[in-house]
Amino acid sequence: MTAFSGTYVDAIRQALFDAMEADPRVCCLGEDIGTYGGAFRATEGLLERFGADRVIDTPISEQAIAGAAIGAALMGQRPVAEFQFMDFALLASDLMVNFAAKAHWRWGATVPAVFRGPSGAGNGGGPFHSQNPEGHFLGSPGLKVVAPGTVRDAYALLRAAIDDPDPVLFFEHKHLYRRLKDEWDEAPTARLGEAALRKDGSKACVITYGAAQHVALEAVADLDVAVLDLRTLWPLDDETIAELAKRTHRVLVLTEASLTYGPGAELAARIGETCFEWLDAPVLRVGAADTPIPASPPLEAAYLPGTKAVRSALDHLLAW
């Protein structure tokens, strides 16, 4: 690819373009991704460059999209399926959880398919277009789950997901689509399962991912507190998580997903089990309220874990 300068959603589009240029097996399918260019314009221009055989508009059916992608992957293609909102990935969960995730275990078949789309709140989308449903899939062995929180990771992790032999769910936070910008002369690379230290510190650490890392970075800007971006929720970078927990002795887990039974609960449990002897305080969690997501902007802001909630939890943690 040539030099890049653009937003998070531009990086998604560039990753798709470069992957399709590099490998004729890569194709895209989903609702309105062709002529319309996608609901958020993530596939704009791909139809004109690669044609209708590789950029396929589908009916409004997540089951059909997932089924076609899985079938194409089993036949040797590398499909990238777009769900217009990841909230509706749950409609295709049977195919992804009970078929794609288990194909390797049942008969040794690989399913190199990516299921991508926008997730997350912050745009007033309400309870049906703002969820973080990644936790629904994290308990399904055989699926990989990725949640980039930077422009570079949006590009690099999508390229890695497309190259991966296993089915990958790729959660793009829509609130970041046009709020983050970056540029590079050489395309960034990344591997699934590797976390990134966004800020170092010695007094405590915040372990997070996706858009929540930016909340964490703002909250700890003046504190000697580290921020670790998981980037990939499965597989987890257990080694880096444990090293940071052992070094800082205090851990706060921050997620935008609901607090109860969410990804943060598993993270806190794993850290508590593996790092107990090095911790000076319990692992604390901050997450979204256990309610449907309000459409009203003030109520949505109250629903989401913000910098004040993170700072309050850290004050408690540091005083332990």
Side-chain angles (χ1 to χ4, degrees):
M1 66 169 288
T2 57
F4 171 87
S5 178
T7 64
Y8 183 109
V9 74
D10 293 333
I12 297 292
R13 186 187 310 110
Q14 189 67 54
L16 293 171
F17 185 93
D18 290 348
M20 295 180 77
E21 284 277 20
D23 188 343
R25 297 174 299 169
V26 179
C27 57
C28 297
L29 63 159
E31 303 167 28
D32 297 325
I33 69 163
T35 303
Y36 190 64
F40 292 90
R41 299 298 189 267
T43 55
E44 191 170 36
L46 296 184
L47 176 65
E48 290 77 7
R49 173 63 184 85
F50 299 104
D53 288 340
R54 296 180 66 192
V55 182
I56 304 165
D57 276 320
T58 68
I60 304 174
S61 170
E62 284 72 20
Q63 295 96 325
I65 294 168
I70 294 167
L74 288 169
M75 294 301 292
Q77 302 301 301
R78 289 190 171 266
V80 182
E82 177 181 304
F83 297 130
Q84 205 162 89
F85 292 88
M86 289 301 273
D87 310 59
F88 304 123
L90 296 175
L91 293 167
S93 60
D94 178 56
L95 286 158
M96 292 187 292
V97 170
N98 289 323
F99 195 83
K102 296 175 173 62
H104 175 76
W105 302 91
R106 292 182 70 186
W107 62 78
T110 58
V111 182
V114 177
F115 305 93
R116 54 158 292 270
S119 64
N123 294 324
F128 306 112
H129 298 83
S130 305
Q131 296 174 81
N132 290 274
E134 57 269 19
H136 291 284
F137 300 98
L138 287 171
S140 302
L143 294 177
K144 294 179 178 177
V145 180
V146 181
T150 70
V151 177
R152 287 173 180 262
D153 281 349
Y155 178 89
L157 290 173
L158 183 52
R159 291 296 306 271
I162 293 170
D163 290 339
D164 199 90
D166 296 316
V168 180
L169 274 79
F170 197 85
F171 290 86
E172 305 157 10
H173 201 292
K174 70 176 77 68
H175 192 65
L176 303 180
Y177 268 163
R178 291 176 174 82
R179 287 176 170 82
L180 298 184
K181 294 183 179 181
D182 203 348
E183 59 185 39
W184 55 75
D185 293 323
E186 184 175 346
T189 60
R191 294 198 302 175
L192 303 187
E194 291 186 349
L197 187 65
R198 300 303 184 193
K199 178 181 181 294
D200 204 358
S202 63
K203 299 297 185 183
C205 66
V206 180
I207 295 177
T208 184
Y209 62 89
Q213 69 179 281
H214 301 287
V215 176
L217 288 168
E218 182 180 348
V220 307
D222 61 338
L223 299 177
D224 185 15
V225 173
V227 175
L228 183 69
D229 174 13
L230 294 174
R231 306 202 291 178
T232 302
L233 301 180
W234 192 261
L236 275 172
D237 189 349
D238 286 312
E239 183 178 349
T240 299
I241 294 170
E243 187 278 329
L244 191 59
K246 293 174 183 179
R247 179 162 63 83
T248 61
H249 309 296
R250 291 177 171 82
V251 179
L252 175 69
V253 176
L254 170 65
T255 71
E256 188 180 309
S258 297
L259 185 68
T260 303
Y261 291 107
E266 171 64 21
L267 288 165
R270 293 170 78 94
I271 296 165
E273 289 173 352
T274 59
C275 304
F276 178 78
E277 60 188 296
W278 289 279
L279 298 176
D280 291 338
V283 180
L284 299 185
R285 294 178 294 138
V286 174
D290 293 324
T291 69
I293 305 171
S296 160
L299 292 177
E300 184 185 49
Y303 160 90
L304 290 169
T307 55
K308 291 178 66 175
V310 174
R311 191 61 178 250
S312 177
L314 282 170
D315 288 344
H316 182 58
L317 189 64
L318 293 169
W320 201 278

